[in-house]
Amino acid sequence: MLRAGSVVTCIACKNLLPSRMGVKFRIPLQKLHPLSRAIHHRYSANNNPQRPPHCSAARHYTSLSRLPMRPPKSRSGGHGYQQHRSFWVVRLAARLLKLRYILLGSAVGGGYTAKKTYDEWKDMLPDMSQYTWIVPDFVWELSENIDLDKLASALPELEEIAKLLPDMEKIGENFTFLKSLLSSETTGESTLRATDIPPTSAAMSDSADKQFKKSSDKEKVDQLQEELLRTQLKYQRMLERLEKENKELRKVVLQKDDKGIHQRKVKKSLIDMYSEVLDILSDYDSNYNTQDHLPRVVVVGDQSAGKTSVLEMIAQARIFPRGSGEMMTRSPVKVTLSEGPHHVAMFKDSTREFDLGKEEDLAALRHEIEIRMRKSVKEGQTVSPETISLSVKGPGIQRMVLVDLPGVISTVTSGMAADTKETIFSISKAYMQNPNAIILCIQDGSVDAERSIVTDLVSQMDPQGKRTIFVLTKVDLAEKNLASPSRIQQIVEGKLFPMKALGYFAVVTGKGSSNESIDSIKDYEEDFFQNSRLLKDGMLKAHQVTTKNLSLAVSDCFWKMVRESVEQQADAFKASRFNLETEWKNNYPRLRELDRNELYEKAKNEILDEVISLSQVTPKHWESILQKKLWERVSTHVIENIYLPAAQTMNSGTFNTTVDIKLKQWTDKQLPHKALEVAWETLQEEFARFMAEYKGKDQDDIFDKLKEAVKDESIKRHKWNERAMDSLRVIQHNALEDRSITDKPQWDAAIQFMEETLQSRLKDTDSVIADMVGPDWKQRWLSWKNRTPEQHIRNETKNELERLLKLHEDHTAYLANDEVTTVRKNLEARGVEVDPALIKDTWHQLFRRHFLQKALLHCNLCRRGFYYYQRHFVDSELECNDVVLFWRIQRMLAITANTLRQQLTNTEVRRLEKNVKEVLEDFGEDTEKKVQLITGRRVQLAEDLKKVREIQEKLEAFIEALHKEK
């Protein structure tokens, strides 16, 4: 019995020795494993001391002899009963010893499993050595300005930290030893059972062992899972603490660098260089199919799925407008995330910085984004494809470019445009069809997965899932509402949706309150996943949760895609540049490549030169033009309403009284307005004339449309000084009241002015009469022209009225009714039916011609009437009051022209020049206006060349910087 028991225990000791050693070497007992040594002493005490050992050389490490080649012979009698009792005791001792081994083995095995699980979890963490290219240059120069040795000495030593950790090597050795020990003991005991234990007892023992082993294994697994979670949380907190300290340190370094510690020009960050390229591409529309295939992170999802909240967690600030179920994102928002000393935001087209640490600045930023979105939406639309560009900087922010798109909707509600759904789909597809765009697909976890629209859209654009990252939001609500949490596991494993993805993440972005801060949301997210069944039961893995892990993964994918595609895009733009330059050389070999802005500046200078030319016009030219145009404007009124009515009077007193009254009325009501209108029209005509005459052989006709628009807009904006009208009225009234002609030249000038005016009116009257009566006999014979029936009636009426005038040369301007009847009856006697109105109309023109002819004769008689005028026509039958009237009109015209000329040169020309400058400034700020006014293939080609060159140069600079940071 003792020999058999010794076989069981010594197998373990024997296995510790090499096979070649045998029992001939003297191995000290102290060199055995402690556990083996204890077992050795325990069993060696029960051996027969009187029995000599088989080999004295092995006494120092075992009291058992070598195993026999065959089993010992069985003994009978009472001695057999004592042997059976001793065997039962040994079996009980072996059982107790086995239970001890199981407990000890479970503890050691659990420690080893925990170490192995911790190593696997540590391997799953991202290799931070791959992110050295993200860190700016100045961080690597910390040693120049900060005593890193001093900081390192303040940190605990690695040996001290190592002492806190369990000795995994010893645990591993113990586990290996116990594994071999248990295997050997199990073998020996099974042999023993086969020979000595009754079948019934063995079966009962086996079932009890299995049940105990099953319960102990389950408890061991639960304990290991709890230990693993505690270990993960412990190291997660350590990592967060180290990251926070690193973030503060980087902030201090960046602030010092911002103040100019490094006496060098701070280089533009890599992400800022890349963002500039994207901004240029957003405004570039190429005709050579050079599309924008540069990477960016496109955030898509159903409406209210949490897209904006995820982006805010990545940006670490609540920067977007908030809404309750309504559409808030109405246009794409490009957010460039980069690292900086201060947490600030800035728009691309603005210099204002919004401090994201202040609530008032955050509110102002959200309000500004909402205003820009609403301005970008055209009338009658709900969403806009125009991109709002925003940059966010701060310590510890992952560098990337994200585009937040309007949420995908399934139904158009009231207040939306009818094509809102299609517009959102087209905008989303335009961004996702970029083969290098990373699609961040946001899915609301709190609603049924079958209601998702965006997953089908994403699977259409990226069927293989090579550039898609799936994010499940509101996991806290999903776990609370779903009866089967395994459904969440199916989603994050990609088994529920037909779409494929690079990675799957589960995040929590708050409790639904718009007043929550980013820090409180992070704490809530961490606490939720720490206590969540999803993580404890293994449905989610540690690297699949929290927005921090999501941010790291997205940034990693973004920069990987950038490195893989940016050089290919640079080559595409290089080829496009070659094509554009070749076209320019062939079509415009002698012209400089001026883009639209440069052409506008050139046209602007030309227009300003033309406006300045107005100030070079001589006063004589201004007055001559003004006097001529003013008389053309008022001559009809003077002749028809003043001179002709006054000339019908019987004496000079009545004539002068009528003239003074009518001149006063005219001056008070009409004359100043007419004069200002003439001056304004003259200024416009001269401005247009200078712009037209400025054209020469070097003048570019590409500016014609722009100049015309500038001229029209400037004239439209120009308002004449109204205060000049009152002073002009006084000047004109005084000029017309003066009747004193001082010398003979003025008298002759007045007669000449009167004669020219009357001859002009007589010529016009003859022309009107000729049109009324038709061609005369000479024209009918030579030109083969005939009169119309109406002209024939007019001619007969004219002949009858001329006979009446010959009989009464001093006839009044109007026919009496009996005279009209007499003329009509005389015409009817000759077979001509005529209307009384036609008779009066014909008489008006005939009498007018008759009066003008008599006035011209009188004008010739007054050439020698200056002497009588000086004597006030006393004792003279000749009265020349009509000459005095025309002199008064002529003098008023001269004085008015001089006054208007002074106002033009001193005030209005300068105001017009100012208006032109304002119009040019306004047009210069209006891109659409410049595109509308400066057009043509030449302009578009120059624009494309400039854009392509700029994009290529910035891409090459970005690639060079990217290679340096690798």
PDB file of all heavy atoms in Angstrom, residues 193-209:
ATOM      1  N   ARG A 193      -7.500   3.420  -9.392  1.00  0.00           N
ATOM      2  CA  ARG A 193      -8.919   3.139  -9.402  1.00  0.00           C
ATOM      3  C   ARG A 193      -9.237   1.884 -10.211  1.00  0.00           C
ATOM      4  O   ARG A 193     -10.109   1.096  -9.880  1.00  0.00           O
ATOM      5  CB  ARG A 193      -9.689   4.318  -9.995  1.00  0.00           C
ATOM      6  CG  ARG A 193      -9.832   5.495  -9.061  1.00  0.00           C
ATOM      7  CD  ARG A 193     -10.970   6.380  -9.507  1.00  0.00           C
ATOM      8  NE  ARG A 193     -10.934   7.642  -8.787  1.00  0.00           N
ATOM      9  CZ  ARG A 193     -10.630   8.802  -9.338  1.00  0.00           C
ATOM     10  NH1 ARG A 193     -10.351   8.872 -10.613  1.00  0.00           N
ATOM     11  NH2 ARG A 193     -10.621   9.913  -8.609  1.00  0.00           N
ATOM     12  N   ALA A 194      -8.536   1.726 -11.288  1.00  0.00           N
ATOM     13  CA  ALA A 194      -8.813   0.578 -12.151  1.00  0.00           C
ATOM     14  C   ALA A 194      -8.520  -0.731 -11.474  1.00  0.00           C
ATOM     15  O   ALA A 194      -9.126  -1.751 -11.771  1.00  0.00           O
ATOM     16  CB  ALA A 194      -8.005   0.703 -13.445  1.00  0.00           C
ATOM     17  N   THR A 195      -7.606  -0.758 -10.532  1.00  0.00           N
ATOM     18  CA  THR A 195      -7.198  -2.005  -9.922  1.00  0.00           C
ATOM     19  C   THR A 195      -7.857  -2.262  -8.586  1.00  0.00           C
ATOM     20  O   THR A 195      -8.191  -3.386  -8.257  1.00  0.00           O
ATOM     21  CB  THR A 195      -5.674  -2.033  -9.748  1.00  0.00           C
ATOM     22  OG1 THR A 195      -5.303  -0.873  -8.993  1.00  0.00           O
ATOM     23  CG2 THR A 195      -5.001  -1.996 -11.114  1.00  0.00           C
ATOM     24  N   ASP A 196      -8.050  -1.144  -7.787  1.00  0.00           N
ATOM     25  CA  ASP A 196      -8.429  -1.363  -6.391  1.00  0.00           C
ATOM     26  C   ASP A 196      -9.822  -0.865  -6.027  1.00  0.00           C
ATOM     27  O   ASP A 196     -10.406  -1.366  -5.085  1.00  0.00           O
ATOM     28  CB  ASP A 196      -7.414  -0.675  -5.460  1.00  0.00           C
ATOM     29  CG  ASP A 196      -6.018  -1.249  -5.687  1.00  0.00           C
ATOM     30  OD1 ASP A 196      -5.929  -2.437  -6.018  1.00  0.00           O
ATOM     31  OD2 ASP A 196      -5.042  -0.472  -5.548  1.00  0.00           O
ATOM     32  N   ILE A 197     -10.350   0.149  -6.733  1.00  0.00           N
ATOM     33  CA  ILE A 197     -11.617   0.731  -6.303  1.00  0.00           C
ATOM     34  C   ILE A 197     -12.761  -0.045  -6.910  1.00  0.00           C
ATOM     35  O   ILE A 197     -12.729  -0.372  -8.089  1.00  0.00           O
ATOM     36  CB  ILE A 197     -11.681   2.207  -6.717  1.00  0.00           C
ATOM     37  CG1 ILE A 197     -10.531   2.956  -6.045  1.00  0.00           C
ATOM     38  CG2 ILE A 197     -13.016   2.821  -6.348  1.00  0.00           C
ATOM     39  CD1 ILE A 197     -10.454   4.404  -6.442  1.00  0.00           C
ATOM     40  N   PRO A 198     -13.787  -0.264  -6.179  1.00  0.00           N
ATOM     41  CA  PRO A 198     -14.970  -0.941  -6.740  1.00  0.00           C
ATOM     42  C   PRO A 198     -15.638  -0.074  -7.779  1.00  0.00           C
ATOM     43  O   PRO A 198     -15.535   1.158  -7.738  1.00  0.00           O
ATOM     44  CB  PRO A 198     -15.869  -1.146  -5.508  1.00  0.00           C
ATOM     45  CG  PRO A 198     -14.967  -1.056  -4.335  1.00  0.00           C
ATOM     46  CD  PRO A 198     -13.872  -0.138  -4.716  1.00  0.00           C
ATOM     47  N   PRO A 199     -16.345  -0.648  -8.745  1.00  0.00           N
ATOM     48  CA  PRO A 199     -16.955   0.117  -9.844  1.00  0.00           C
ATOM     49  C   PRO A 199     -17.956   1.143  -9.347  1.00  0.00           C
ATOM     50  O   PRO A 199     -18.009   2.257  -9.845  1.00  0.00           O
ATOM     51  CB  PRO A 199     -17.624  -0.963 -10.695  1.00  0.00           C
ATOM     52  CG  PRO A 199     -16.896  -2.223 -10.354  1.00  0.00           C
ATOM     53  CD  PRO A 199     -16.473  -2.126  -8.944  1.00  0.00           C
ATOM     54  N   THR A 200     -18.780   0.837  -8.386  1.00  0.00           N
ATOM     55  CA  THR A 200     -19.821   1.774  -7.936  1.00  0.00           C
ATOM     56  C   THR A 200     -19.209   2.997  -7.287  1.00  0.00           C
ATOM     57  O   THR A 200     -19.590   4.144  -7.554  1.00  0.00           O
ATOM     58  CB  THR A 200     -20.763   1.068  -6.962  1.00  0.00           C
ATOM     59  OG1 THR A 200     -21.270  -0.096  -7.568  1.00  0.00           O
ATOM     60  CG2 THR A 200     -21.902   1.993  -6.540  1.00  0.00           C
ATOM     61  N   SER A 201     -18.234   2.805  -6.449  1.00  0.00           N
ATOM     62  CA  SER A 201     -17.584   3.941  -5.771  1.00  0.00           C
ATOM     63  C   SER A 201     -16.877   4.836  -6.774  1.00  0.00           C
ATOM     64  O   SER A 201     -16.889   6.067  -6.661  1.00  0.00           O
ATOM     65  CB  SER A 201     -16.571   3.412  -4.732  1.00  0.00           C
ATOM     66  OG  SER A 201     -17.228   2.614  -3.782  1.00  0.00           O
ATOM     67  N   ALA A 202     -16.269   4.245  -7.787  1.00  0.00           N
ATOM     68  CA  ALA A 202     -15.559   5.054  -8.804  1.00  0.00           C
ATOM     69  C   ALA A 202     -16.527   5.912  -9.587  1.00  0.00           C
ATOM     70  O   ALA A 202     -16.256   7.093  -9.887  1.00  0.00           O
ATOM     71  CB  ALA A 202     -14.793   4.124  -9.742  1.00  0.00           C
ATOM     72  N   ALA A 203     -17.678   5.362  -9.941  1.00  0.00           N
ATOM     73  CA  ALA A 203     -18.652   6.133 -10.714  1.00  0.00           C
ATOM     74  C   ALA A 203     -19.173   7.308  -9.899  1.00  0.00           C
ATOM     75  O   ALA A 203     -19.321   8.426 -10.401  1.00  0.00           O
ATOM     76  CB  ALA A 203     -19.808   5.222 -11.139  1.00  0.00           C
ATOM     77  N   MET A 204     -19.464   7.057  -8.632  1.00  0.00           N
ATOM     78  CA  MET A 204     -19.958   8.151  -7.790  1.00  0.00           C
ATOM     79  C   MET A 204     -18.898   9.225  -7.622  1.00  0.00           C
ATOM     80  O   MET A 204     -19.192  10.428  -7.649  1.00  0.00           O
ATOM     81  CB  MET A 204     -20.366   7.594  -6.416  1.00  0.00           C
ATOM     82  CG  MET A 204     -21.583   6.674  -6.464  1.00  0.00           C
ATOM     83  SD  MET A 204     -21.948   5.939  -4.856  1.00  0.00           S
ATOM     84  CE  MET A 204     -22.262   7.403  -3.911  1.00  0.00           C
ATOM     85  N   SER A 205     -17.688   8.809  -7.476  1.00  0.00           N
ATOM     86  CA  SER A 205     -16.609   9.794  -7.319  1.00  0.00           C
ATOM     87  C   SER A 205     -16.443  10.630  -8.588  1.00  0.00           C
ATOM     88  O   SER A 205     -16.236  11.840  -8.519  1.00  0.00           O
ATOM     89  CB  SER A 205     -15.304   9.080  -6.971  1.00  0.00           C
ATOM     90  OG  SER A 205     -14.246  10.008  -6.907  1.00  0.00           O
ATOM     91  N   ASP A 206     -16.521   9.962  -9.747  1.00  0.00           N
ATOM     92  CA  ASP A 206     -16.367  10.698 -11.016  1.00  0.00           C
ATOM     93  C   ASP A 206     -17.474  11.728 -11.199  1.00  0.00           C
ATOM     94  O   ASP A 206     -17.225  12.861 -11.618  1.00  0.00           O
ATOM     95  CB  ASP A 206     -16.369   9.717 -12.189  1.00  0.00           C
ATOM     96  CG  ASP A 206     -15.091   8.892 -12.216  1.00  0.00           C
ATOM     97  OD1 ASP A 206     -14.111   9.328 -11.568  1.00  0.00           O
ATOM     98  OD2 ASP A 206     -15.095   7.837 -12.890  1.00  0.00           O
ATOM     99  N   SER A 207     -18.728  11.371 -10.907  1.00  0.00           N
ATOM    100  CA  SER A 207     -19.827  12.327 -11.077  1.00  0.00           C
ATOM    101  C   SER A 207     -19.684  13.497 -10.129  1.00  0.00           C
ATOM    102  O   SER A 207     -19.923  14.666 -10.492  1.00  0.00           O
ATOM    103  CB  SER A 207     -21.169  11.625 -10.853  1.00  0.00           C
ATOM    104  OG  SER A 207     -21.231  11.124  -9.526  1.00  0.00           O
ATOM    105  N   ALA A 208     -19.254  13.229  -8.901  1.00  0.00           N
ATOM    106  CA  ALA A 208     -19.058  14.331  -7.943  1.00  0.00           C
ATOM    107  C   ALA A 208     -17.940  15.253  -8.392  1.00  0.00           C
ATOM    108  O   ALA A 208     -18.031  16.479  -8.297  1.00  0.00           O
ATOM    109  CB  ALA A 208     -18.755  13.753  -6.552  1.00  0.00           C
ATOM    110  N   ASP A 209     -16.864  14.618  -8.908  1.00  0.00           N
ATOM    111  CA  ASP A 209     -15.734  15.442  -9.396  1.00  0.00           C
ATOM    112  C   ASP A 209     -16.157  16.318 -10.560  1.00  0.00           C
ATOM    113  O   ASP A 209     -15.780  17.488 -10.649  1.00  0.00           O
ATOM    114  CB  ASP A 209     -14.578  14.531  -9.799  1.00  0.00           C
ATOM    115  CG  ASP A 209     -13.934  13.881  -8.567  1.00  0.00           C
ATOM    116  OD1 ASP A 209     -14.208  14.392  -7.444  1.00  0.00           O
ATOM    117  OD2 ASP A 209     -13.200  12.903  -8.758  1.00  0.00           O
TER     118      ASP A 209
END
